[in-house]
Amino acid sequence: MKKKAFITAIAAIVLLFSFNIQLIAGNINIKGSVISSGKGIGNVMITDGKNVVSTDEKGNYKMITTTESDFIYYSLPKGYNSPVMDGVPVFYSTLQKDKKEQIVNFEIYKSAVSQQKHAFILWADPQVAEKSEFELLEKVKQDVQSTIAKLQPKMPVHAISAGDLVFDKLPYFQDYKNVLKGLNIPFYQVIGNHDMDYNERSNELSDKSYSLSFGPSHYSFNVGNIHYVVLKDVFYYGFTYRYIGYIDEAQLLWLEKDLEFVKPGSTVVLTVHIPTTYGETKEPLNYNYSMSNQVMNKKALFNILKPYNTHILAGHSHTQWNTVLTPNILEHVHAAACAAWWQGEICTDGSPKGYTVYLVDNDNLSWYFKGVSLDKSEQFRVYNTGTDSEIPDYFIANVYNYDPQWKVSWYEDGVYRGEMQQYWGKDPLAAITYKPGENKKYSWLSIGETNHLFKAKPEKAESEITVVVKDRFGNVYKKEIQNIK
């Protein structure tokens, strides 16, 4: 027994010694406060991206971090705003890794209006590859500005980009921010696979350039009763231009700690770049394609999100679709702001170049797709009978933002004919616009099948066709065509 006790004591001393050495060599003691108008704000989550603490009733906090961390930052509490620089919220402070004792204070600002009702705009994949394309992005921005102008008299507005801000041109980050600052709203960013440093040796270093411009690549914030989370789900494995959809353990652990501050049953909006689930194919994905187009360890993420009503927002695919993943998780994948890499006005599934507008009332979300230079009512396109030679006897409707709670019906000469048949296929306009091998800039540009297509066979050779689309919120959209076989 004495020998066992001696060994236990020695082990404890070694462990304590090791801890003290680590404290001396790599740890940084942080203290500070979060204030607004000179008053400390309590219960604000403070993090280094791994550990999480909370401010006390006077707004003060203490944290031990390490030199492995790059930032100290907060999760913006509801009812407040962060400072904004070049359109980007500044909610973080860069660590000085040569100082073992640091004071990091933050100032936030009380929102001038209630956030219970608010709106946010989600665009994905602006993906600028050359300077001239910023002029095209400016046109998208102008459309967004017009939408903001209609929303702001009624409620506060912010925006989120779901990644691929640029197309491997990381020095363009400042040009991209110059576009954002003209919107005069907080515009949160997500890192995409084209925003990463692929000359670094590991995933941990791949967001170096992104972080210099936008801060940490995973974080959270609150607006009204919604808890917003951003994660990095592009994992670079250190070999040329290769990545997989994967959320590393450090982020999963952080997310668990972050959500301890969120009441179960609350609404969480989680934005990533790569969709957790690739739903735009009727065929099973091959292994290589699957690895880079959906999150490989998504089950772990879903398990963490189980207590919450969650909307997952993503980009990456340059197509629009929605997937009910679990009874409490709905994933929205967004058409690209650049359409098909700025080579046309539509995405590869036929959806227009555009963005999605989300309206929040308390903890409930509604949304609609907004095509650039198109009216809000433009939610689908209709093709005449015979447009697609593979189904020559059918006319077609492409319903961009369809989900299972939508209804697509049709009338012939005013007579109700029922619901149109959903099917997998290629949008006829996209098939012409992006015919494989014929794009003058990107020879690889082509399209795949989508399942937000609908078809019906008219009974008459010549008739007036009316397509009626009703979305999950009860909004009704109509289009008429003169059918000629």
Side-chain angles (χ1 to χ4, degrees):
M1 289 293 295
K2 290 183 178 180
K3 184 177 181 181
K4 184 176 181 181
F6 177 77
I7 292 172
T8 301
I10 291 296
I13 292 169
V14 170
L15 184 64
L16 182 60
F17 180 78
S18 299
F19 175 79
N20 287 333
I21 290 295
Q22 183 184 12
L23 186 65
I24 295 169
N27 282 18
I28 302 174
N29 292 308
I30 306 291
K31 65 179 181 179
S33 61
V34 178
I35 63 170
S36 179
S37 300
K39 181 182 177 182
I41 308 299
N43 297 314
V44 178
M45 190 193 87
I46 307 292
T47 183
D48 59 357
K50 300 180 181 68
N51 305 295
V52 176
V53 299
S54 179
T55 60
D56 63 21
E57 67 277 4
K58 295 182 179 180
N60 299 318
Y61 73 93
K62 291 182 180 180
M63 171 181 283
I64 298 176
T65 187
T66 73
T67 52
E68 292 180 351
S69 299
D70 294 318
F71 301 101
I72 295 294
Y73 51 105
Y74 59 85
S75 181
L76 181 70
K78 72 176 183 178
Y80 291 87
N81 293 310
S82 296
V84 174
M85 183 177 295
D86 290 345
V88 179
V90 183
F91 53 89
Y92 57 90
S93 178
T94 303
L95 276 173
Q96 301 177 56
K97 298 191 179 186
D98 59 339
K99 293 186 178 180
K100 300 300 181 184
E101 305 283 338
Q102 295 181 41
I103 298 175
V104 180
N105 296 322
F106 297 102
E107 184 169 9
I108 57 179
Y109 305 95
K110 189 75 175 176
S111 176
V113 295
S114 170
Q115 296 177 342
Q116 180 169 322
K117 288 186 178 182
H118 66 272
F120 68 95
I121 288 167
L122 191 294
W123 80 18
D125 302 89
Q127 209 153 340
V128 176
E130 53 189 58
K131 289 277 190 177
S132 62
E133 290 174 354
F134 280 107
E135 296 177 14
L136 302 175
L137 184 58
E138 279 285 345
K139 294 180 180 179
V140 180
K141 184 195 81 170
Q142 290 167 13
D143 197 278
V144 172
Q145 275 182 315
S146 177
T147 297
I148 293 170
K150 294 172 184 175
L151 293 168
Q152 272 188 331
K154 305 171 187 175
M155 63 191 77
V157 182
H158 66 277
I160 307 172
S161 175
D164 280 0
L165 319 178
V166 297
F167 197 171
D168 302 326
K169 300 290 182 65
L170 307 190
Y172 286 177
F173 281 152
Q174 184 57 51
D175 299 272
Y176 172 75
K177 291 201 291 185
N178 290 340
V179 174
L180 302 186
K181 67 183 179 182
L183 290 170
N184 297 315
I185 61 169
F187 207 136
Y188 294 89
Q189 306 300 311
V190 177
I191 191 170
N193 54 289
H194 288 289
D195 304 318
M196 297 169 66
D197 293 282
Y198 287 108
N199 57 344
E200 297 292 347
R201 68 183 188 180
S202 66
N203 179 66
E204 287 73 15
L205 301 175
S206 63
D207 54 359
K208 183 184 294 184
S209 295
Y210 171 90
S211 291
L212 285 172
S213 292
F214 304 105
S217 54
H218 68 274
Y219 57 92
S220 68
F221 60 98
N222 297 276
V223 182
N225 292 324
I226 306 298
H227 186 66
Y228 293 86
V229 178
V230 166
L231 294 179
K232 174 187 176 182
D233 69 348
V234 185
F235 187 94
Y236 169 59
Y237 51 90
F239 176 71
T240 67
Y241 183 80
R242 300 293 177 88
Y243 61 89
I244 62 172
Y246 181 82
I247 301 171
D248 61 32
E249 179 66 9
Q251 288 185 92
L252 294 175
L253 288 170
W254 172 84
L255 181 61
E256 289 175 325
K257 295 173 185 176
D258 174 85
L259 291 177
E260 288 178 3
F261 291 79
V262 182
K263 183 180 177 181
S266 301
T267 298
V268 172
V269 173
L270 169 66
T271 308
V272 292
H273 178 61
I274 297 175
T276 65
T277 305
Y278 195 82
E280 272 290 275
T281 178
K282 62 181 176 181
E283 305 295 338
L285 293 177
N286 67 59
Y287 185 66
N288 289 333
Y289 193 82
S290 177
M291 288 181 68
S292 60
N293 287 284
Q294 62 181 351
V295 175
M296 301 304 291
N297 61 335
K298 59 190 173 187
K299 290 182 180 179
L301 177 65
F302 296 167
N303 189 54
I304 294 172
L305 295 170
K306 194 176 293 183
Y308 307 97
N309 297 314
T310 303
H311 295 264
I312 297 178
L313 317 181
H316 189 56
S317 70
H318 294 244
T319 56
Q320 186 94 6
W321 85 82
N322 300 285
T323 307
V324 179
L325 299 173
T326 73
N328 67 308
I329 302 177
L330 175 60
E331 181 162 66
H332 312 250
V333 182
H334 298 80
C338 72
W341 298 270
W342 303 108
Q343 300 307 294
E345 294 302 309
I346 60 172
C347 296
T348 56
D349 65 344
S351 300
K353 176 195 301 178
Y355 52 92
T356 299
V357 180
Y358 291 85
L359 305 173
V360 181
D361 186 354
N362 194 12
D363 59 355
N364 296 309
L365 270 66
S366 61
W367 54 89
Y368 63 88
F369 175 76
K370 174 67 173 68
V372 173
S373 302
L374 299 176
D375 188 78
K376 175 184 172 181
S377 64
E378 291 293 324
Q379 295 294 312
F380 67 102
R381 184 183 298 114
V382 180
Y383 296 98
N384 215 321
T385 304
T387 302
D388 187 339
S389 60
E390 293 188 5
I391 46 173
D393 297 327
Y394 292 79
F395 71 92
I396 299 166
N398 186 342
V399 185
Y400 314 131
N401 206 22
Y402 174 84
D403 71 45
Q405 292 191 27
W406 289 47
K407 185 177 180 181
V408 184
S409 306
W410 70 291
Y411 296 74
E412 186 172 21
D413 289 335
V415 178
Y416 179 69
R417 296 298 189 191
E419 294 188 30
M420 296 182 68
Q421 179 185 350
Q422 187 179 9
Y423 74 102
W424 286 94
K426 295 181 178 181
D427 176 84
L429 181 57
I432 295 170
T433 306
Y434 306 123
K435 191 172 182 179
E438 294 192 6
N439 184 269
K440 60 184 179 182
K441 185 172 182 179
Y442 301 121
S443 60
W444 45 262
L445 182 54
S446 62
I447 71 168
E449 293 190 337
T450 180
N451 75 336
H452 49 70
L453 295 177
F454 296 80
K455 63 182 180 180
K457 186 177 181 179
E459 294 185 5
K460 303 175 184 177
E462 295 186 11
S463 56
E464 186 176 275
I465 301 294
T466 303
V467 178
V468 179
V469 174
K470 184 177 182 181
D471 71 15
R472 62 159 51 214
F473 307 109
N475 300 305
V476 177
Y477 310 96
K478 295 182 181 180
K479 283 186 182 293
E480 295 181 353
I481 60 168
Q482 194 66 40
N483 177 64
I484 300 174
K485 273 192 181 179

